[in-house]
Amino acid sequence: MCTVSWLVADTGYHVFFNRDEQKTRAAAIPPKVIQDSDIRAVMPIDPVGQGTWCASNENGLTFALLNFYQGRWPKGRLISRGQIVRDCAACASIDEARELVSNLNLSKYAPFSLLLFSPEQEIDNGVAMLRWNGRQLEEILQKSPLISSSVRYDEVFAARMSVYRDMIGDGAEQTEDSFLAMHASHFPSKSALSMCMHREDAQTVSFSHIHVCADTVCYRYSDGPLCNTSLDKGLALVRA
């Protein structure tokens, strides 16, 4: 039920992430610096699975995972997909992250789409994405935005893509502010269809904005939807 978009600028790249979840889900721990190996990374933490959905490390790599609800759900006890993002955040390169994911026993994970951002990648042409559909792992070149939804997917996708084209594409000026405004928007209504999502049982529960430039990685976070919650000042990592 999430939406991720991205922007390439003269100062580096930006990633914008609306996390949509059930209202009953435990609140996340706000972003903090984690060092699971020799590499430092910044990420929020899911207190249940101890993983994350979005992380960026001191090498300028960013990993963002969305559930792929249209995939085949494996049987049996599953491992939290958030652990994959946390493990990738300890990788020194995109190739290392690819190898890590390809060597996992993916039958233990529900379907997902994992975006892999790198400062060296030509993000304008699309971002490398690993998709596990419950049967096979494939790599896709994904253009912004990436949208997921567990209900009314076709309607949700059409509505959010319309907003993206109006506010970001079709000759519109692409700026950090325009992306922030889009992720806070409620077109066509404050509902399951809008970028800033609101349903009786679920809503946008947080927003992440990552800016990776030559010298630093800055992770700004809103512990709630952007429509009524302010972004914090952010945590910064010095690039390795």
Side-chain angles (χ1 to χ4, degrees):
M1 298 181 289
C2 304
T3 302
V4 180
S5 66
W6 50 93
L7 166 68
V8 179
D10 293 339
T11 56
Y13 72 84
H14 299 259
V15 178
F16 307 87
F17 196 136
N18 271 13
R19 184 189 184 216
D20 306 336
E21 286 290 351
Q22 295 290 321
K23 293 180 178 180
T24 55
R25 191 179 182 110
I29 299 168
K32 61 180 181 178
V33 176
I34 301 287
Q35 189 160 354
D36 287 333
S37 65
D38 293 335
I39 297 173
R40 294 181 306 148
V42 58
M43 67 190 77
I45 299 292
D46 172 14
V48 178
Q50 292 300 308
T52 187
W53 57 96
C54 190
S56 192
N57 70 23
E58 61 186 339
N59 289 328
L61 308 180
T62 299
F63 304 93
L65 184 144
L66 280 72
N67 299 341
F68 182 56
Y69 295 102
Q70 288 67 45
R72 179 183 178 182
W73 210 269
K75 296 180 180 179
R77 186 178 180 86
L78 300 178
I79 302 171
S80 169
R81 289 164 286 194
Q83 289 293 336
I84 298 173
V85 183
R86 184 162 178 167
D87 290 344
C88 284
C91 292
S93 68
I94 292 297
D95 285 341
E96 185 180 338
R98 282 191 183 98
E99 183 177 3
L100 183 154
V101 176
S102 64
N103 287 332
L104 292 173
N105 179 2
L106 291 174
S107 65
K108 298 294 185 182
Y109 297 87
F112 61 82
S113 301
L114 176 65
L115 294 164
L116 305 95
F117 296 87
S118 166
E120 290 76 33
Q121 190 177 15
E122 295 293 336
I123 295 174
D124 273 338
N125 298 322
V127 172
M129 182 176 75
L130 299 177
R131 172 165 287 164
W132 165 241
N133 64 14
R135 293 183 176 87
Q136 64 179 0
L137 181 70
E138 58 182 343
E139 181 163 341
I140 302 167
L141 198 60
Q142 175 69 39
K143 289 197 171 184
S144 179
L146 179 62
I147 298 163
S148 73
S149 180
S150 60
V151 298
R152 302 166 62 189
Y153 173 74
D154 291 341
E155 292 178 70
V156 170
F157 180 83
R160 295 183 189 176
M161 283 304 300
S162 176
V163 172
Y164 186 87
R165 286 190 294 267
D166 288 344
M167 300 184 71
I168 302 299
D170 293 340
E173 185 179 8
Q174 295 192 5
T175 65
E176 180 181 332
D177 286 342
S178 65
F179 275 81
L180 293 174
M182 180 186 69
H183 278 268
S185 67
H186 292 140
F187 180 86
S189 65
K190 191 175 182 179
S191 65
L193 303 181
S194 52
M195 285 280 190
C196 186
M197 193 274 282
H198 297 268
R199 294 196 327 239
E200 287 187 6
D201 62 327
Q203 68 174 16
T204 297
V205 297
S206 70
F207 172 78
S208 297
H209 171 211
I210 295 169
H211 181 200
V212 175
C213 57
D215 300 322
T216 59
V217 173
C218 182
Y219 197 126
R220 300 182 68 197
Y221 185 75
S222 168
D223 192 15
L226 268 185
C227 63
N228 60 24
T229 312
S230 299
L231 274 170
D232 63 20
K233 293 181 180 179
L235 276 177
L237 284 177
V238 176
R239 287 280 304 275

